[in-house]
């Protein structure tokens, strides 16, 4: 589904601040994979997502999405088949527009000058009802009135309204309170499973990194240092993961927000 | 003051308000929706006036209107390309285009800074002749202004509901979201500015033809006047749905004219118009901000008094 062929990216090249953020990273994501990604601060996890999305063009290497070389495609062109959620729940929806308008925009069917049909709006409503948050009765309200958790759930809906080829979750529950975070995470796994979406999820929660999905990769200094799936993965504990990191990088895992349980 | 005089003054004020309201609606699109403060507005207004006048003088009264609007589209396109493709800051792009348009406008007017349309057949003179002897006699300018404002409101109400319209609104509402979405902000900004500038140019074209002359300075200060009108309109209908907010923009233009006309009656000299509009814009933008700061200031003062 997604193939990264030794991609590299250096920020501020040729200056004192030059930073090699992605160092010849290769990754082969199979269709239907749900991969959790862990790593220390500055390991290049978000940079990896930015490279996949086309927020910047990689310095070298190729990005192949569903058999198509998208290395040079601009961000908005790739976004048609990539869904992405950020940590900041305010980032994924337009606060001054209504819930319905946001979803119609995300649905993106029809030409530029078309308007959403009644059937389409009904379909959006029905889908929103799946969230069980009562948002389907507030379709005309501006999104700015929603709580952070509701907005993140709405963003999740917007990102998956047209089933994306790949869904990128960048610590999308980290800014929510624990109860809401759990709810949004449960919704995420349900939607990902129901629609069989290929998914990459950055998390700082070691436990859920091992519990969710079918594969876990660990990143350090712009490279994948540990990659596990299947039976080997199911036997792993959080302690094992920390040990693996020490082995791979020769130092202790330091992430100020890392949760070990 | 006699009643007919008041009526006549009122009608003139209404006509001017309607012509200006098209610029207010242009800003409604660029400033309120797209969140771009288009500083090329003054020049684009004069551009519409100049192109409209030249085409009308050449003997094409009907063609003058689409020609002026097309000129506005081009001007908007240049502003948009500068800020989306060539790395020019959005405000600076407007100022640059505005400055450039000054020369362009004089060139369009054949090297003169003033064009006279006293003997020119315009849409206004045609309608005036057609309405002679009917009950609507003498209301031609008002009718044209009303039709134009209604058409633009209708267009905006429909357009902003389309996917493109929603995408333009999202571009202004949450640029971060749009950057990582399948909407190309370069495209939405460009379309938005082209459309808004076509309204600004139409506004200038109609004002020039109604007063049968245009100068290169006809648009000077119109941005602030229109912004003041827009913000006044927002006070009345700012939190409603889009069509009502557009009507509010026109209403704002009326109220601004009304305040201004009354001020003139109290012997405020005409040259004070721009200062009045500046003060209104400052009040409308700073008012809410200062109101938010007020509790903090009070606490500070109380704290100091206590200490």
């Amino acid at each position: 589904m997604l193939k990264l062929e030794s991609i590299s990216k250096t920020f501020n090249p040729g200056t004192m601040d030059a930073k090699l953020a992605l160092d010849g990273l290769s990754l082969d994501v199979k269709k239907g994979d749900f991969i959790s990604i862990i790593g220390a601060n500055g390991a290049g996890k978000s940079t990896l997502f930015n490279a996949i999305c086309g927020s910047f063009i990689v310095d070298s290497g190729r990005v192949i999405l569903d058999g198509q070389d998208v290395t040079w495609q601009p961000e908005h062109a790739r976004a048609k088949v990539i869904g992405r959620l950020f940590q900041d729940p305010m980032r994924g929806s337009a606060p001054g527009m209504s819930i319905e308008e946001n979803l119609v925009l995300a649905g993106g069917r029809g030409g530029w000058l078309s308007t959403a049909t009644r059937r389409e709006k009904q379909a959006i409503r029905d889908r929103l009802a799946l969230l069980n948050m009562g948002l389907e009765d507030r379709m005309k309200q501006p999104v700015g009135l929603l709580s952070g958790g509701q907005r993140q759930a709405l963003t999740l809906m917007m990102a998956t309204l047209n089933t994306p080829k790949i869904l990128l979750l960048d610590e999308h529950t980290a800014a929510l309170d624990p109860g809401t975070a759990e709810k949004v995470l449960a919704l995420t796994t349900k939607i990902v499973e129901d629609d069989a979406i290929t998914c990459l999820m950055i998390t700082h929660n070691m436990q859920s990194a091992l519990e969710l999905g079918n594969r876990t990769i660990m990143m350090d200094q712009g490279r994948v240092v540990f990659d596990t799936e299947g039976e080997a993965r199911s036997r792993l504990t959080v302690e094992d993961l920390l040990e693996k990191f020490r082995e791979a990088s020769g130092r202790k895992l330091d992430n100020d927000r890392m949760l070990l349980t | 003051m006699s009643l007919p005089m008041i009526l006549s003054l009122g009608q003139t004020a209404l006509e001017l308000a309607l012509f200006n309201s098209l610029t207010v609606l242009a800003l409604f699109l660029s400033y309120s929706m797209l969140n771009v403060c288009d500083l090329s507005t003054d020049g684009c207004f004069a551009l519409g006036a100049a192109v409209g006048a030249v085409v009308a003088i050449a003997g094409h009264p009907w063609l003058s209107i689409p020609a002026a609007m097309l000129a506005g589209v081009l001007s908007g396109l240049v502003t948009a390309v500068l800020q989306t493709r060539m790395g020019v800051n959005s405000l600076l792009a407007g100022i640059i285009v505005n400055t450039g348009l000054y020369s362009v406008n004089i060139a369009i007017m054949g090297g003169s800074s003033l064009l006279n349309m006293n003997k020119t057949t315009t849409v206004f003179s045609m309608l005036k002749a057609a309405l002679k002897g009917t009950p609507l006699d003498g209301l031609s300018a008002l009718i044209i202004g009303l039709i134009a404002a209604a058409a633009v409101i209708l267009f905006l109400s429909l357009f902003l509901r389309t996917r493109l319209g929603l995408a333009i609104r999202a571009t202004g509402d949450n640029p971060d979201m749009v950057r990582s979405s399948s909407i190309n902000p370069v495209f939405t900004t460009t379309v938005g500015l082209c459309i808004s500038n076509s309204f600004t140019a139409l506004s200038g074209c109609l004002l020039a033809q109604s007063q049968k002359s245009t100068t290169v300075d006809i648009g000077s200060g119109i941005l602030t006047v229109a912004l003041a009108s827009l913000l006044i309109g927002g006070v009345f209908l700012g939190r409603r749905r889009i069509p009502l907010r557009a009507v509010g923009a026109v209403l704002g233009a009326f109220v601004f004219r009304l305040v201004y006309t009354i001020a003139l009656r109290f012997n405020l000299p005409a040259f004070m118009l721009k200062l009045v509009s500046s003060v209104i814009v400052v009040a409308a933008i700073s008012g809410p901000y200062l109101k938010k700061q007020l509790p903090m200031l009070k606490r500070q003062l109380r704290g100091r008094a206590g200490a």
Side-chain angles (χ1 to χ4, degrees):
Chain A
M1 179 52 72
L2 174 72
K3 211 167 172 181
L4 305 175
E5 292 178 356
S6 61
I7 55 169
S8 293
K9 176 70 188 177
T10 305
F11 289 118
N12 309 312
T15 68
M16 296 225 326
D17 295 328
K19 165 138 178 72
L20 181 60
L22 291 175
D23 184 6
L25 182 145
S26 293
L27 185 67
D28 195 350
V29 181
K30 287 184 276 301
K31 198 175 166 117
D33 264 354
F34 186 155
I35 303 180
S36 54
I37 302 174
I38 49 177
N41 293 334
K45 306 182 298 285
S46 295
T47 310
L48 170 69
F49 277 11
N50 284 336
I52 297 171
C53 289
S55 307
F56 55 75
I57 305 288
V58 290
D59 295 338
S60 63
R62 295 202 303 163
V63 180
I64 294 160
L65 185 60
D66 202 17
Q68 196 192 354
D69 190 339
V70 297
T71 312
W72 294 97
Q73 255 188 25
E75 190 165 15
H76 62 89
R78 298 188 206 183
K80 288 197 179 89
V81 291
I82 299 178
R84 188 176 190 185
L85 265 71
F86 295 91
Q87 185 179 342
D88 180 3
M90 305 302 150
R91 200 167 156 176
S93 47
M97 293 164 66
S98 72
I99 295 178
E100 185 175 85
E101 285 167 337
N102 269 282
L103 283 161
V104 165
L105 195 56
R109 282 181 210 281
W112 275 119
L113 294 179
S114 67
T115 49
T117 60
R118 190 169 297 170
R119 237 176 84 194
E120 205 176 327
K121 284 183 185 169
Q122 188 58 45
I124 284 171
R125 235 188 97 113
D126 293 344
R127 197 165 157 81
L128 203 54
L130 294 179
L131 290 183
N132 236 340
M133 285 179 164
L135 294 183
E136 67 276 12
D137 298 322
R138 302 168 63 181
M139 297 297 280
K140 302 285 180 198
Q141 285 186 16
V143 165
L145 297 178
L146 304 185
S147 70
Q150 288 170 329
R151 266 184 91 163
Q152 200 65 312
L154 176 69
T155 310
L156 180 65
M157 275 292 152
M158 289 169 66
T160 55
L161 200 56
N162 296 331
T163 308
K165 284 183 177 164
I166 195 160
L167 181 65
L168 305 177
L169 307 168
D170 191 348
E171 301 201 42
H172 71 302
T173 60
L176 309 175
D177 68 78
T180 317
E182 206 172 302
K183 211 172 161 187
V184 171
L185 199 58
L187 279 169
T188 310
T189 47
K190 182 178 173 349
I191 291 173
V192 168
E193 271 171 28
D194 287 355
D195 298 345
I197 302 172
T198 309
C199 179
L200 302 184
M201 180 178 77
I202 297 174
T203 179
H204 59 259
N205 186 327
M206 303 285 266
Q207 194 62 45
S208 63
L210 286 176
E211 278 169 8
L212 289 175
N214 63 325
R215 186 174 164 191
T216 298
I217 62 176
M218 186 184 277
M219 285 186 67
D220 187 49
Q221 297 182 336
R223 284 172 293 127
V224 173
V225 291
F226 183 60
D227 186 344
T228 176
E229 61 184 318
E231 213 179 313
R233 177 176 181 262
S234 58
R235 282 200 303 267
L236 277 182
T237 63
V238 170
E239 285 73 39
D240 296 335
L241 268 188
L242 292 174
E243 184 52 38
K244 289 283 176 201
F245 184 87
R246 238 180 321 242
E247 272 171 36
S249 67
R251 58 196 162 81
K252 259 178 85 175
L253 183 59
D254 58 336
N255 181 330
D256 46 21
R257 285 176 315 163
M258 191 66 83
L259 297 174
L260 301 178
T261 51
Chain B
M1 201 163 58
S2 67
L3 188 66
M5 197 177 156
I6 291 178
L7 279 181
S8 152
L9 259 179
Q11 189 186 336
T12 314
L14 212 56
E15 285 165 10
L16 282 172
L18 279 170
F19 299 140
N20 279 349
S21 75
L22 301 176
T23 305
V24 184
L25 287 167
L27 292 190
F28 176 65
L29 182 60
S30 61
Y31 183 79
S32 305
M33 296 287 118
L34 203 52
N35 201 15
V36 170
C37 190
D38 184 359
L39 293 183
S40 73
T41 300
D42 288 10
C44 184
F45 190 88
L47 173 71
V51 170
V54 166
V55 175
I57 289 170
H60 305 287
W62 290 109
L63 193 62
S64 69
I65 288 168
M69 291 180 75
L70 185 67
V73 170
L74 290 177
S75 159
L77 186 65
V78 174
T79 314
V81 166
L82 284 180
Q83 59 180 276
T84 56
R85 294 272 185 209
M86 299 179 69
V88 181
N89 167 289
S90 145
L91 292 175
L92 195 55
I95 296 174
I96 291 171
V97 170
N98 196 46
T99 307
L101 279 176
Y102 189 85
S103 307
V104 172
N105 289 341
I106 293 183
I108 289 173
M109 297 199 288
S112 144
S113 60
L114 177 99
L115 274 187
N116 204 310
M117 286 183 277
N118 271 331
K119 292 186 181 113
T120 308
T121 309
T122 64
V123 180
F124 290 86
S125 68
M126 284 161 76
L127 189 67
K128 194 175 176 185
L131 291 178
K132 208 157 202 141
T134 67
L136 295 175
D137 197 356
L139 296 178
S140 55
L142 204 58
I143 292 170
I144 290 175
L146 272 175
I147 292 174
V152 171
I153 290 178
L154 185 69
F155 173 84
L156 283 177
S157 308
L158 294 176
F159 176 70
L160 289 171
R161 277 174 46 202
T162 64
R163 289 181 207 286
L164 181 53
L166 290 178
I168 285 177
R169 289 173 57 196
T171 308
D173 202 21
N174 191 349
D176 276 341
M177 158 196 172
V178 167
R179 255 193 294 280
S180 57
S181 79
S182 59
I183 304 165
N184 181 0
V186 171
F187 177 64
T188 49
T189 305
T190 307
V191 173
L193 283 179
C194 284
I195 295 177
S196 73
N197 276 281
S198 78
F199 296 155
T200 305
L202 174 65
S203 184
C205 168
L206 292 183
L207 179 69
Q209 295 197 1
S210 75
Q211 65 186 26
K212 292 181 182 159
S213 72
T214 184
T215 69
V216 73
D217 292 322
I218 192 172
S220 126
I222 188 75
L223 171 66
T224 317
V225 170
L227 206 49
S229 308
L230 182 70
L231 296 173
I232 293 172
V235 172
F236 299 119
L237 295 166
R239 293 179 176 273
R240 305 303 180 92
R241 296 228 183 124
I242 299 280
L244 272 178
R245 287 177 67 184
V247 172
V250 177
L251 202 66
F254 285 143
V255 173
F256 180 83
R257 264 294 144 187
L258 192 69
V259 170
Y260 174 63
T261 310
I262 292 171
L264 282 184
R265 292 310 305 168
F266 285 101
N267 291 331
L268 186 82
F271 58 75
M272 295 300 282
L273 165 73
K274 274 158 198 164
L275 183 60
V276 170
S277 59
S278 299
V279 170
I280 291 179
V281 170
V282 170
I285 294 178
S286 305
Y289 171 79
L290 291 176
K291 207 170 146 192
K292 233 195 278 178
Q293 303 287 314
L294 200 61
M296 183 62 103
L297 273 175
K298 271 188 188 157
R299 266 177 54 198
Q300 228 170 23
L301 283 178
R302 228 180 289 136
R304 260 193 218 140

